[in-house]
Amino acid sequence: MKIPVQWKAIFWSNVGGFVGLFVGFEISVAWPPSFTKMFFVSLWAAFAIALHLINHRGRSVIPRIERYDARKIAWLLGIGVVGGMVTGLTGSGLDILTFAVLTLVFRLCESVGTPTSVIIMAFNAMLGFAIRGIRGELLPDAISYWWCAVPVVVVGAPLGAWYIKNKDRHFITRLLYASVVVQFVGALWIVPQSPATVAIIVCVISGGAAIFFLMNRLGTRLS
């Protein structure tokens, strides 16, 4: 479909993400499922809040990254390691954090950052699945869930790509905000809440939003 993506960003973030997966897998053993779920939705909520406030103030964007120097590669490798850890813990995360770097630090347009992050997460998910399989950690139920997801992704991903192909960046961000609200409210409804999960929500949203704002300030300075 000739949708523009950033292939170098995909490569370097996944190099770091491969390393981070192993660390995330080890951490995930010690975390209760409720902590994992609330950490994931709170991280997304923190990013959505930060992105909304930043865009509301006005933010210049670029349609593509012309040159990947050593500093940009270092950013992608570093955030790849952290994102891979989050993926190993929650099942997703490399896409969120790389998308944040691309849009906030490098000032890439959301309409290009979105399909780029989707491909990044696809590669990272396959790596994680392969690592789990090689280590003999895939339970029969996990494989069954994977098969259930296949038709959804095979049909949904191309339809989603086609749907946003000619939409502007503001439409895409509004769609992102809506999905974040739905998944956050759904998690609050489904996951039994406790003082510990509430503490995770508060810490991740406040700390994550602060980090994303700092990333945007750095992007302003670099631009």
Side-chain angles (χ1 to χ4, degrees):
M1 295 172 64
K2 297 181 180 180
I3 294 175
V5 296
Q6 294 290 300
W7 286 107
K8 290 184 179 179
I10 292 168
F11 174 79
W12 288 113
S13 62
N14 265 290
V15 171
F18 176 73
V19 176
L21 279 172
F22 290 95
V23 181
F25 288 154
E26 299 304 320
I27 298 175
S28 66
V29 178
W31 272 49
S34 60
F35 287 16
T36 300
K37 181 62 178 176
M38 297 318 301
F39 176 85
F40 173 74
V41 298
S42 298
L43 182 64
W44 260 116
F47 177 70
I49 292 170
L51 185 64
H52 172 69
L53 293 175
I54 291 166
N55 279 337
H56 184 69
R57 297 173 183 174
R59 181 173 67 93
S60 59
V61 297
I62 58 175
R64 62 184 177 273
I65 300 170
E66 297 290 352
R67 186 172 63 91
Y68 285 84
D69 54 22
R71 183 165 52 183
K72 287 187 175 70
I73 292 173
W75 260 101
L76 292 169
L77 284 172
I79 207 68
V81 172
V82 177
M85 291 169 58
V86 177
T87 297
L89 181 64
T90 68
S92 180
L94 180 61
D95 52 342
I96 307 172
L97 296 181
T98 306
F99 182 81
V101 168
L102 292 175
T103 56
L104 298 181
V105 180
F106 299 165
R107 290 297 195 256
L108 185 67
C109 179
E110 290 90 342
S111 59
V112 180
T114 299
T116 299
S117 68
V118 170
I119 297 173
I120 287 171
M121 194 60 242
F123 277 113
N124 197 233
M126 289 189 288
L127 285 171
F129 201 80
I131 293 169
R132 288 288 203 188
I134 292 171
R135 292 167 56 167
E137 297 173 348
L138 285 179
L139 300 176
D141 282 349
I143 297 175
S144 298
Y145 294 149
W146 184 79
W147 278 112
C148 289
V150 167
V152 177
V153 176
V154 167
V155 175
L159 281 178
W162 170 80
Y163 181 67
I164 69 168
K165 182 179 180 181
N166 297 315
K167 300 294 191 298
D168 64 19
R169 53 184 288 263
H170 299 292
F171 177 86
I172 293 172
T173 53
R174 287 194 293 268
L175 197 63
L176 171 66
Y177 303 148
S179 67
V180 168
V181 170
V182 169
Q183 74 175 8
F184 186 79
V185 172
L188 290 176
W189 181 267
I190 295 170
V191 178
Q193 299 299 315
S194 66
T197 57
V198 172
I200 288 174
I201 293 170
V202 173
C203 291
V204 173
I205 290 181
S206 57
I211 291 172
F212 291 132
F213 274 115
L214 288 174
M215 291 169 65
N216 177 67
R217 181 172 295 182
L218 176 61
T220 302
R221 291 175 59 186
L222 292 176
S223 62

